[in-house]
Amino acid sequence: MHPTIVRATKYAIFGVPIRTMVHALEKTPTPLTLRQLLDNGGSPGSPPSLEGLLASAAFTQRELPIRLARRVRQFYSLPFLVASNPYIQRIARLYASSFARLDNVPPIETPEQNDEFVRILQQLVIDHSDNAEVLSMGFAECGAYMDAEQIGSFLNAALHSRIGIRIIAEQHLALTASATGDESRYRQTPTSVGIVETQMRLADVIRASGEYVRNLCEATFDYAPALELQGDVDVTAVGVPGHLEYVMTELLKNSFRATTERHLKEAARNGIPPVTVTISSTPSDICLRIRDQGGGIEAENMARIFDYAYTTAKSEPVDTSGDPMDVTSGALQGTMGTLAGLGHGLPMSRLYVGYFSPDNTVDVVSLLGHGCDTFVRIERHIEMSNVAI
């Protein structure tokens, strides 16, 4: 063992003894691909065998502590005043405690042991559900100690890792649910393998996101644009529907809010122009274009739209009398949730779209005085299109 590690073993990082993290930090996480998730999960629409389920448990049990330990080390590398921020401290300690809990789980060799492991994973997913929002709030308070480029780099690494951690955990939870017949949270289809859908209909996901955002917009403004879908509406792809749903919800929130705000004064007389999503596909790619009439984005703001905590939403003054950890304070809110205001929708959408391939992109083109076109490019993963169903 390296001598500096030996001398450090009596110390703790965010409440966890360093000695318990050394072994995990010496390992390298396995790159995560859609093909790997499909291969580990068995045939689409069928529950995994006991052997396959235990193999998934072993993979999950190995990978999560490695990834959590690396995130703890990343938080430990922050400047002292940044790491001391209460929002950032909360997430750092959460990663450390999650690592410690998973590191103490014995090897999983029976269905009963897997059931207990699943209960731990379920709590982990719940505990980490608001990490992105809390981190964004924390770093918004630390601009004096880190510049925007440093903050963006840290958040990209942390949130990219968070996506992988969640995929691994939820894939095993979904496979276990399939094996036990429990569809209370993870509903399996004849074409799904865990959380991966081998025949994901993009139009269905877009419509569901659009319906949610439309209701949210109406709850906030009393008016909302219609969603129009054009192009190759029958196209399918291999992917994680939850990821596309998140991305489309965030992008449609931007378009619905901007369009409604711009046309609100004449809405009762002339209505609100629609938001149009066009789907195009080739053998190698699927492209989405979200077109709105929200007035566009000022040229000086375009360079910042993918920065964390940057938003063009018109928010009310923050109410500091309530819960200090309420990260939705100051955002446009309706009775169904938050429409805008936190400023992490675009950068997070780019991370989700690009997680399985750096060639997947999100780009925005502004026609100032009229509106924006937002483009999403997704690889078809054509080599997976012939998965047996």
Side-chain angles (χ1 to χ4, degrees):
M1 185 180 294
H2 195 282
T4 58
I5 295 179
V6 173
R7 289 195 297 271
T9 54
K10 67 179 180 179
Y11 300 106
I13 299 179
F14 299 114
V16 177
I18 293 178
R19 67 170 64 88
T20 65
M21 302 184 65
V22 169
H23 187 57
L25 288 170
E26 291 175 341
K27 298 179 180 179
T28 301
T30 303
L32 206 56
T33 66
L34 283 171
R35 166 58 72 187
Q36 178 189 55
L37 294 174
L38 289 171
D39 289 344
N40 288 347
S43 301
S46 300
S49 64
L50 177 58
E51 180 183 7
L53 186 63
L54 294 180
S56 173
F59 175 78
T60 304
Q61 187 179 25
R62 176 191 181 276
E63 287 296 312
L64 291 187
I66 296 173
R67 293 164 186 260
L68 288 167
R70 287 175 169 236
R71 298 285 65 77
V72 174
R73 182 175 62 182
Q74 183 192 26
F75 279 104
Y76 189 67
S77 70
L78 287 170
F80 176 77
L81 290 176
V82 177
S84 300
N85 178 276
Y87 298 103
I88 296 173
Q89 182 88 188
R90 168 185 165 182
I91 302 303
R93 290 187 176 277
L94 178 59
Y95 272 102
S97 63
S98 296
F99 164 80
R101 188 171 187 190
L102 287 174
D103 193 57
N104 287 327
V105 176
I108 301 163
E109 299 174 346
T110 67
E112 292 74 22
Q113 288 176 317
N114 183 63
D115 291 341
E116 178 59 30
F117 182 52
V118 160
R119 283 189 283 272
I120 295 173
L121 287 183
Q122 288 171 334
Q123 190 59 52
L124 182 146
V125 169
I126 293 171
D127 290 344
H128 288 258
S129 60
D130 65 347
N131 283 6
E133 292 88 346
V134 176
L135 281 177
S136 292
M137 179 65 82
F139 279 101
E141 297 181 349
C142 294
Y145 313 113
M146 293 178 70
D147 61 35
E149 184 176 351
Q150 291 173 316
I151 291 174
S153 178
F154 181 94
L155 286 174
N156 278 333
L159 296 176
H160 185 272
S161 176
R162 175 185 180 269
I163 293 172
I165 290 169
R166 194 175 184 95
I167 289 173
I168 294 170
E170 292 207 317
Q171 178 69 352
H172 185 63
L173 290 174
L175 292 177
T176 300
S178 176
T180 59
D182 178 10
E183 294 194 356
S184 58
R185 178 170 181 181
Y186 298 97
R187 187 178 67 85
Q188 300 297 292
T189 73
T191 55
S192 64
V193 179
I195 63 171
V196 181
E197 178 59 61
T198 63
Q199 296 291 326
M200 178 175 66
R201 288 179 55 86
L202 279 76
D204 291 346
V205 178
I206 295 168
R207 288 191 184 100
S209 296
E211 182 65 19
Y212 170 78
V213 174
R214 178 177 170 81
N215 289 335
L216 183 56
C217 191
E218 286 183 340
T220 305
F221 294 108
D222 293 329
Y223 294 94
L227 176 67
E228 295 184 353
L229 212 56
Q230 302 176 347
D232 192 354
V233 296
D234 294 322
V235 68
T236 63
V238 178
V240 180
H243 286 190
L244 181 61
E245 181 180 3
Y246 173 85
V247 170
M248 291 307 304
T249 297
E250 292 300 320
L251 299 182
L252 289 174
K253 278 182 181 180
N254 292 341
S255 290
F256 272 60
R257 175 189 59 78
T259 301
T260 305
E261 285 183 342
R262 179 173 171 81
H263 297 275
L264 190 58
K265 290 182 179 180
E266 66 269 17
R269 183 174 65 256
N270 299 324
I272 305 286
V275 171
T276 304
V277 178
T278 304
I279 305 173
S280 67
S281 63
T282 69
S284 59
D285 301 299
I286 295 175
C287 292
L288 309 175
R289 183 188 65 192
I290 304 169
R291 171 164 288 179
D292 66 57
Q293 297 181 42
I297 302 171
E298 298 284 348
E300 61 267 25
N301 293 332
M302 282 298 295
R304 300 179 58 197
I305 61 174
F306 286 98
D307 290 351
Y308 291 95
Y310 174 75
T311 176
T312 59
K314 301 172 184 177
S315 62
E316 297 298 326
V318 176
D319 178 8
T320 59
S321 62
D323 182 358
M325 300 304 290
D326 179 8
V327 297
T328 63
S329 295
L332 290 173
Q333 296 182 40
T335 57
M336 294 183 61
T338 303
L339 182 61
L342 298 178
H344 59 262
L346 275 175
M348 282 289 291
S349 294
R350 180 175 274 183
L351 283 179
Y352 271 106
V353 167
Y355 186 81
F356 289 111
S357 171
D359 294 327
N360 294 353
T361 58
V362 177
D363 293 297
V364 179
V365 176
S366 171
L367 183 61
L368 191 59
H370 181 75
C372 285
D373 283 1
T374 303
F375 296 91
V376 179
R377 176 183 179 270
I378 304 170
E379 284 188 338
R380 287 291 296 272
H381 296 282
I382 192 67
E383 74 277 6
M384 302 180 196
S385 63
N386 295 321
V387 174
I389 299 174

